[in-house]
Amino acid sequence: MNTYFDPSVQHALDLVGIFVFAISGALLAVRKNFDVFGMATLAEATGLGGGLFRDVVIGSVPPAAFEDLGYFLTPLLATALVFFLHPVVERINYAVLVFDAAGLGLFCATGTLKAHQYGLSLPASVALGLATAAGGGMLRDVLANEVPQLLRWDREMYAVPAIVGAGTVALLLRTSTLNAATMSAAALLAFALRMLSLRYGWRAPRAWHRTSRRTADTSASG
């Protein structure tokens, strides 16, 4: 199965993505005042959740996270780092966001490709690319009793950059132009959109005329 990257490079990129996602999970556990087991649980869920969901859906079993010990241990390393150094990690929160955006770009691209290589249609592959990139964060928020960031209107765009990156990979597959360079470009596009949304506060639109409609409904009920 062609991954378009050297396997050792792909493995290293996967671990980096898992690590930064796991840090965000462990940090949320600290803010929620969870104990070390809760921190490890959120770190594992955030780092591995999206990839596990994708692999189960496409029938790639056992999932990669259960075949490679490094995938399982990386979130534990992130947990230990946050456990002992969380004030420092909080201070470099912007750096964590940068790496998180890089993981988003990487996972939406590789998730789409892997789903397509297992025989899924391009639209289904895009959906699983999004799930790979954002599924861990959604699982983290649900476990922490938070509204998933993916669904919150008051947060900068997260799903849209992942969909754009995954959609670009699908287009490249459709036109038979996918290679290491173009796949990297698709991942960088998702990364850039996420960073721009953080920089300029871009958010996905809410329902059209939502405010005026709500006002009218309130007046009518009165």
Side-chain angles (χ1 to χ4, degrees):
M1 185 177 294
N2 188 0
T3 63
Y4 295 90
F5 291 105
D6 181 270
S8 62
V9 173
Q10 178 66 55
H11 185 258
L13 292 173
D14 283 345
L15 292 180
V16 170
I18 290 169
F19 182 76
V20 294
F21 282 158
I23 284 179
S24 72
L27 283 174
L28 178 59
V30 171
R31 297 183 190 117
K32 287 284 186 175
N33 203 31
F34 289 0
D35 62 17
V36 67
F37 179 76
M39 292 174 61
T41 299
L42 288 195
E44 292 282 357
T46 311
L48 303 178
L52 283 172
F53 176 79
R54 176 204 62 214
D55 288 351
V56 169
V57 169
I58 65 179
S60 176
V61 292
F66 290 100
E67 289 190 309
D68 189 324
L69 187 61
Y71 282 30
F72 180 78
L73 292 179
T74 297
L76 297 183
L77 176 61
T79 299
L81 179 68
V82 173
F83 183 83
F84 291 107
L85 300 174
H86 70 86
V88 176
V89 176
E90 289 277 14
R91 285 198 293 270
I92 60 170
N93 187 54
Y94 184 77
V96 173
L97 289 175
V98 171
F99 283 109
D100 180 83
L104 176 79
L106 171 68
F107 283 0
C108 73
T110 58
T112 302
L113 175 61
K114 185 171 183 178
H116 185 261
Q117 289 175 325
Y118 272 79
L120 270 66
S121 66
L122 289 177
S125 297
V126 170
L128 279 186
L130 170 61
T132 305
M138 289 195 68
L139 181 58
R140 171 202 65 207
D141 293 341
V142 169
L143 289 173
N145 198 30
E146 294 269 321
V147 176
Q149 178 175 304
L150 193 70
L151 305 179
R152 293 183 59 171
W153 72 270
D154 59 338
R155 296 292 178 87
E156 293 80 5
M157 292 190 304
Y158 199 87
V160 172
I163 292 172
V164 170
T168 301
V169 171
L171 179 62
L172 293 169
L173 286 166
R174 181 69 179 83
T175 57
S176 301
T177 55
L178 186 68
N179 53 46
T182 56
M183 186 171 174
S184 298
L188 285 171
L189 176 60
F191 169 77
L193 284 175
R194 172 61 177 161
M195 293 307 300
L196 287 171
S197 74
L198 290 171
R199 173 66 177 82
Y200 295 106
W202 293 347
R203 298 170 183 171
R206 290 190 286 170
W208 188 252
H209 292 313
R210 175 183 176 279
T211 302
S212 60
R213 171 70 65 182
R214 184 175 181 180
T215 302
D217 290 345
T218 302
S219 300
S221 64

